[in-house]
Amino acid sequence: MKQLITFIKKEFHHILRDTRSMLVLIGLPIVQLLLFGFAITTEVRNANIAILDNSKDEVTQSIITKIESSQYFDIDRSITSNDQIEEAFKTGKIKLAIVFQQNFQNELSHSNKAQLQIIADATDPNQATTLTNYLSSIVKDYQNELNQQNKLPYNINTEMRMLYNPQLKGAYTSVPGVMGMILLLISAMMTSIAIVREKELGTMEILLVSPMQPGLVIISKVIPYFIISMINVATILILSVFVLGLPIEGSLFLLIASTIIYIFCALSLGILISTVTETQQAAMLISLLGLMLPVVMLSGYAYPIANMPTILQILSNLVPAKWYIIIVKNIMIKGIGIEQIWKELLILLAMTGTFLLISIKRFKIRL
């Protein structure tokens, strides 16, 4: 019994003096509980919507007031015509649009029914369905209030239209997210591990003092992962188009060029990780905590960023996958050109340059 207690104490000492294990065992569950319990939720709040009121009467204003008073929507009042709705969707300003027919109140008073059109951005089917359900519920509540005051029941018909993904296919959400996650993990995590492996074995210094230029040594380590990533891109696109039925509405050349920039960003991030770690275990741990969790939680792939607290929304801007997923959705699904995604491309290029500059500086110090 005494030996058993001694061994248990020894194991506790091993665990307690390993800071990284303590972070995984105690810190990670706490972070996950806080994130999933309070910060990250599938509920949609404060979604930007546009209202085109072609009637501007008392009834439409009452419905707009009820929509405005809910916690789910923020109304953009800059839309004044049907043409501006399509443009607002393409630029990502709104997630949903509401169009009231002309003479809405008169139609409701004389024929007891009126028409309300709901247009949603279905590139994210779950969010589009959730928002239309919220809006339909608000309109139905208003309709019930009217019917309590009148003998003949009023009927407000809501016509729904899903833009870009009318069949609400899940592939429209999953494919851009999977591309962002796979390319980042393969390029960054595997590159960092490959370089750290050489450092761990003590062969990296030997390679760097060899006749081959140090820069070429690093490049030779990352090129295989770049090629593997491009093969993955080709595979994902072929499966997406021919198996999942996902279209490439925009330019294939622009999509490939954007993907190459994203892969370079991920490779430079992998090199940066390799400069701050000495073991493969540490590189793997940092990659998983620093890449996989942010990609899943903060890229907009699994959870709407707009619902998160402000601090998480700010942190999400540091996740390269967030910008790449926006680019892929805009090119593949919406068919948008470079004039609408140049900001995201510049952000990825700036991230790549920053990662490389820090990596070069640290390589000179460490090696």
Side-chain angles (χ1 to χ4, degrees):
M1 189 66 180
K2 188 176 179 181
Q3 287 181 335
L4 177 61
I5 295 174
T6 304
F7 271 100
I8 292 174
K9 286 182 178 178
K10 180 182 73 68
E11 289 300 319
F12 266 117
H13 282 304
H14 279 301
I15 295 172
L16 291 173
R17 70 185 179 188
D18 188 345
T19 308
R20 288 170 298 187
S21 296
M22 288 298 295
L23 281 174
V24 173
L25 292 172
I26 297 177
L28 189 58
I30 293 173
V31 171
Q32 286 182 322
L33 179 65
L34 291 175
L35 285 174
F36 285 106
F38 298 101
I40 297 175
T41 170
T42 55
E43 184 182 352
V44 181
R45 294 191 296 268
N46 302 319
N48 288 325
I49 66 170
I51 295 180
L52 179 56
D53 188 356
N54 293 313
S55 183
K56 291 186 172 58
D57 53 49
E58 186 179 340
V59 173
T60 59
Q61 288 304 312
S62 298
I63 295 175
I64 292 172
T65 302
K66 286 186 77 69
I67 294 171
E68 198 169 23
S69 62
S70 75
Q71 61 177 327
Y72 305 121
F73 303 110
D74 286 334
I75 298 178
D76 181 352
R77 297 181 181 278
S78 61
I79 304 296
T80 56
S81 68
N82 286 313
D83 295 336
Q84 293 177 340
I85 292 177
E86 182 80 15
E87 188 63 27
F89 275 114
K90 285 189 174 181
T91 55
K93 287 175 59 181
I94 58 172
K95 296 295 181 186
L96 183 141
I98 306 163
V99 182
F100 289 97
Q101 71 168 97
Q102 291 183 342
N103 301 317
F104 189 90
Q105 186 172 6
N106 287 337
E107 290 291 332
L108 197 61
S109 301
H110 293 97
S111 62
N112 290 337
K113 61 181 180 181
Q115 194 72 26
L116 171 66
Q117 186 182 31
I118 301 172
I119 308 171
D121 181 354
T123 53
D124 186 337
N126 293 331
Q127 190 179 58
T129 304
T130 302
L131 290 176
T132 52
N133 287 338
Y134 287 162
L135 192 59
S136 298
S137 177
I138 292 172
V139 174
K140 193 171 183 179
D141 285 344
Y142 180 77
Q143 182 179 300
N144 290 336
E145 290 176 9
L146 282 180
N147 289 336
Q148 290 174 2
Q149 303 167 10
N150 296 278
K151 293 181 181 179
L152 293 176
Y154 286 137
N155 185 19
I156 301 176
N157 294 324
T158 53
E159 177 192 340
M160 297 185 190
R161 181 183 165 202
M162 298 291 180
L163 285 181
Y164 310 118
N165 182 16
Q167 297 175 329
L168 298 179
K169 290 183 177 178
Y172 282 63
T173 299
S174 61
V175 168
V178 168
M179 285 180 70
M181 184 164 64
I182 288 177
L183 296 180
L184 189 67
L185 290 181
I186 288 180
S187 302
M189 187 166 70
M190 300 312 295
T191 302
S192 67
I193 292 174
I195 295 176
V196 170
R197 186 189 303 124
E198 299 287 353
K199 292 165 65 177
E200 195 174 21
L201 296 174
T203 55
M204 194 64 185
E205 286 81 356
I206 298 173
L207 288 173
L208 293 177
V209 297
S210 67
M212 195 171 178
Q213 291 292 326
L216 294 178
V217 174
I218 302 298
I219 291 173
S220 67
K221 300 292 291 183
V222 301
I223 281 179
Y225 298 105
F226 174 77
I227 295 173
I228 292 172
S229 296
M230 292 307 297
I231 293 173
N232 279 326
V233 171
T235 306
I236 291 171
L237 291 180
I238 290 171
L239 290 175
S240 301
V241 174
F242 295 105
V243 179
L244 299 175
L246 192 69
I248 302 178
E249 298 287 353
S251 166
L252 179 61
F253 174 79
L254 181 59
L255 179 62
I256 297 297
S258 304
T259 301
I260 290 175
I261 292 174
Y262 178 64
I263 291 174
F264 277 127
C265 182
L267 291 172
S268 60
L269 183 57
I271 296 171
L272 176 61
I273 293 173
S274 70
T275 65
V276 298
T277 53
E278 294 295 336
T279 65
Q280 296 179 65
Q281 186 183 11
M284 181 73 78
L285 190 64
I286 291 176
S287 299
L288 285 175
L289 289 176
L291 299 181
M292 181 176 279
L293 289 180
V295 168
V296 173
M297 296 179 181
L298 300 178
S299 68
Y301 165 41
Y303 306 98
I305 294 174
N307 295 353
M308 299 176 186
T310 305
I311 182 65
L312 289 185
Q313 291 188 32
I314 294 172
L315 287 176
S316 71
N317 294 325
L318 302 176
V319 181
K322 169 189 172 181
W323 307 108
Y324 180 66
I325 290 172
I326 292 173
I327 291 171
V328 173
K329 280 187 175 180
N330 282 336
I331 295 176
M332 289 187 70
I333 302 173
K334 293 185 178 180
I336 288 175
I338 193 169
E339 65 276 7
Q340 300 293 347
I341 61 168
W342 63 270
K343 290 180 182 176
E344 287 79 9
L345 289 174
L346 279 181
I347 290 172
L348 289 179
L349 286 171
M351 286 182 172
T352 306
T354 305
F355 295 150
L356 284 176
L357 284 175
I358 299 174
S359 301
I360 291 170
K361 187 177 180 181
R362 289 195 61 86
F363 261 123
K364 287 179 179 176
I365 294 172
R366 310 269 314 207
L367 299 178

